[in-house]
Amino acid sequence: MNNKGMKKNGDKQNSIGRSVLGLSPLFLLLLPNFFPSLFSPLSRAYPRLFSEWNAPKPMHLNLLEPALRRRVTPDHVDDDDEIATKLWSPLPDQGWTPCPHSSNISPKQSRGYIQVFLDGGLNQQRMGICDAVAVAKILNATLVIPHLEVNPVWQDSSSFADIFDVDHFINILNEEISIVRELPTEYSWSTREYYATGIRATRIKTAPVHASPLWYTENVIPVIKSYGIAAIAPFSHRLAFDNLPSDIQRLRCKVNFQALAFVPHIKLLAESLVSRLRDPSSRNREREHINLQKNRGVGKYVVLHLRFDKDMAAHSACDFGGGEAEKRALAKYRQVIWQGRVVNSQFTDDELRTQGRCPLTPEEIGLLLAALGFDNNTQLYLASHKVYGGEARISALRKLFPLLEDKRSLLSAEERSRIDGKASLSAAVDYHVSMQSDIFISASPGNMHNALLGHRAYKNLKTIRPNMVLLGKLFLNKSMEWSDFKQAVVDGHKNRHGQIRLRKEKQSIYTYPVPDCMCKS
């Protein structure tokens, strides 16, 4: 071969090499689609493959190392034992009980039909459903089973009937309002697609946030009178919490705490999880070094709602220990998604933590639980859709609490297939498991935290509310001793274990059900 031919062949090989190198990033991006199990939040393979590139380091080694050395099963009673015993004790009677509902008044002749279109996740939609029933009562209208929008974050298209028991919903409320599954034939044109293709006279788009009953009577009743139907969208947070008649408030409570029941197969799946959490000895043969018999919480479990996805991490504008690469990635995500509208980014990390505005990382929530008195025999259930950083981020929490479980570890592949790819159904399972738990704790405020805080208060169940301001300041102190940290945490959470708090003006009735939903016993 002459020099010219050799050069041509060499150029061709170099070109192929450059093409292969150019395809490498694409290959890495597509790899999770071909091998999803390697990238699941609790996958054991995940850290070995990728997290070492930019694995988040422990942020609080001064606390983590002594926390890991804490005693597992003390042989004598001391202050730590008394604290732990109180942790597992149920809440005493606090003098409040659910108010009776005036369900003996049949609905009047309906004026027409009301439709609502609800966005957000499961718990935001849940609150919207309660408000929709209240608005239908205020307007004396027939409610069409609410339409749940496709969630833009999780891309979940689950309908009301996929999540909630429609028959139960209608039967519980049939003496309060009229509810139909579908519109009569003459109104079948009134669909979500119909309202998405143009301006429609029957659509109400101007409902203000926390609107009063008077706004609805003045603005919606005329539409119903003219057309026989009104569709309200958007509808999230479109009814005030204050200055409403007590019967309307109690109706909202009745919907939230009685009428909204999950479909049977969701409850059955959730009960399977509860059963396996209550009896860990049947599935922890490989963990025989854990002395379950001496565990003060044997047969009990804690649900940890670990709200730590990428969306939340970016929006908080806090530093989570992932180094400069993580900071740049979150800043870019924040800019693309919110285009500079994140006010928190104007503050330094220290300022945000001092103000209690940084969500707790898995490491930090683990340290909180350890300081409160939970030992590493504690059965911990992780209620979370996806954890930003995967197993590398969870590793410190797992070291502190080896009996850490979630749906992936407790359910079979066949069981998981019933909810895979359906964030609302997955959240419904976690909600039911959380309501059955001995203790519930959330790593940061959010819709699920708020919904469960209220529902568990209604049932007088123990719920630990992290003191975010206190913890932010404690975690900034890198020289604090474990004993001092533990004492500060215990002292700062004495009245944050589910004690009843009266709802204040503008606060949600679904988060604080007293005194609107509950009466003095």
Side-chain angles (χ1 to χ4, degrees), residues 40-321:
S40 62
L42 294 182
S43 170
R44 304 301 192 270
Y46 178 91
R48 292 197 296 273
L49 284 174
F50 293 97
S51 63
E52 66 269 16
W53 291 0
N54 186 35
K57 303 294 190 297
M59 298 177 67
H60 311 288
L61 278 174
N62 60 309
L63 300 173
L64 183 59
E65 290 176 349
L68 289 170
R69 294 194 299 267
R70 73 195 190 282
R71 290 175 302 164
V72 179
T73 50
D75 295 324
H76 61 281
V77 176
D78 59 13
D79 291 342
D80 286 351
D81 290 275
E82 292 179 7
I83 292 170
T85 300
K86 288 180 181 178
L87 273 177
W88 290 111
S89 300
L91 283 174
D93 179 18
Q94 300 186 66
W96 294 89
T97 188
C99 294
H101 298 283
S102 56
S103 58
N104 56 351
I105 302 175
S106 299
K108 301 175 184 176
Q109 183 65 37
S110 173
R111 286 193 172 102
Y113 295 95
I114 282 288
Q115 288 177 292
V116 297
F117 304 103
L118 302 173
D119 55 13
L122 172 70
N123 293 293
Q124 184 174 325
Q125 290 171 338
R126 183 188 185 100
M127 297 170 194
I129 293 166
C130 299
D131 287 348
V133 171
V135 167
K137 182 74 170 181
I138 291 167
L139 299 177
N140 192 28
T142 296
L143 177 69
V144 184
I145 289 294
H147 175 88
L148 308 186
E149 303 275 29
V150 176
N151 189 296
V153 177
W154 310 123
Q155 293 298 308
D156 188 351
S157 58
S158 298
S159 68
F160 186 104
D162 291 331
I163 304 169
F164 300 107
D165 187 329
V166 177
D167 289 335
H168 177 83
F169 182 74
I170 293 174
N171 290 338
I172 290 293
L173 299 172
N174 66 353
E175 294 183 340
E176 301 278 2
I177 67 166
S178 174
I179 304 174
V180 294
R181 293 170 178 268
E182 297 177 349
L183 285 166
T185 305
E186 61 265 33
Y187 294 108
S188 60
W189 49 266
S190 187
T191 64
R192 186 68 186 93
E193 292 72 25
Y194 171 76
Y195 294 109
T197 56
I199 298 173
R200 311 296 184 184
T202 51
R203 179 179 176 183
I204 308 293
K205 295 180 65 176
T206 55
V209 173
H210 298 155
S212 68
L214 180 62
W215 187 92
Y216 282 99
T217 56
E218 291 181 345
N219 293 275
V220 182
I221 286 179
V223 176
I224 296 177
K225 283 183 176 179
S226 298
Y227 302 97
I229 189 170
I232 310 174
F235 190 71
S236 294
H237 310 294
R238 285 326 197 261
L239 182 62
F241 289 118
D242 302 308
N243 303 315
L244 269 75
S246 61
D247 62 322
I248 296 296
Q249 295 288 64
R250 291 186 184 181
L251 176 59
R252 294 164 99 176
C253 305
K254 184 176 183 178
V255 181
N256 193 33
F257 303 130
Q258 293 185 36
L260 285 176
F262 296 125
V263 291
H265 79 88
I266 288 295
K267 291 198 288 188
L268 190 63
L269 195 60
E271 282 300 324
S272 296
L273 285 167
V274 172
S275 177
R276 292 164 200 177
L277 287 163
R278 296 266 182 229
D279 184 19
S281 60
S282 64
R283 54 183 170 71
N284 284 298
R285 302 303 183 191
E286 75 278 13
R287 296 172 177 176
E288 291 178 356
H289 64 283
I290 302 291
N291 191 337
L292 294 168
Q293 296 306 313
K294 292 185 179 181
N295 183 8
R296 282 169 298 238
V298 66
K300 302 181 179 181
Y301 69 96
V302 180
V303 167
L304 167 58
H305 179 226
L306 192 55
R307 186 169 175 257
F308 201 82
D309 54 59
K310 187 173 184 178
D311 196 69
M312 177 281 306
H315 193 272
S316 70
C318 299
D319 177 14
F320 298 111

Side-chain angles (χ1 to χ4, degrees), residues 400-416:
L400 287 164
F401 296 97
L403 299 183
L404 176 65
E405 307 287 357
D406 74 338
K407 289 185 289 292
R408 181 167 294 277
S409 64
L410 290 176
L411 296 177
S412 68
E414 182 183 353
E415 289 172 320
R416 293 198 304 272

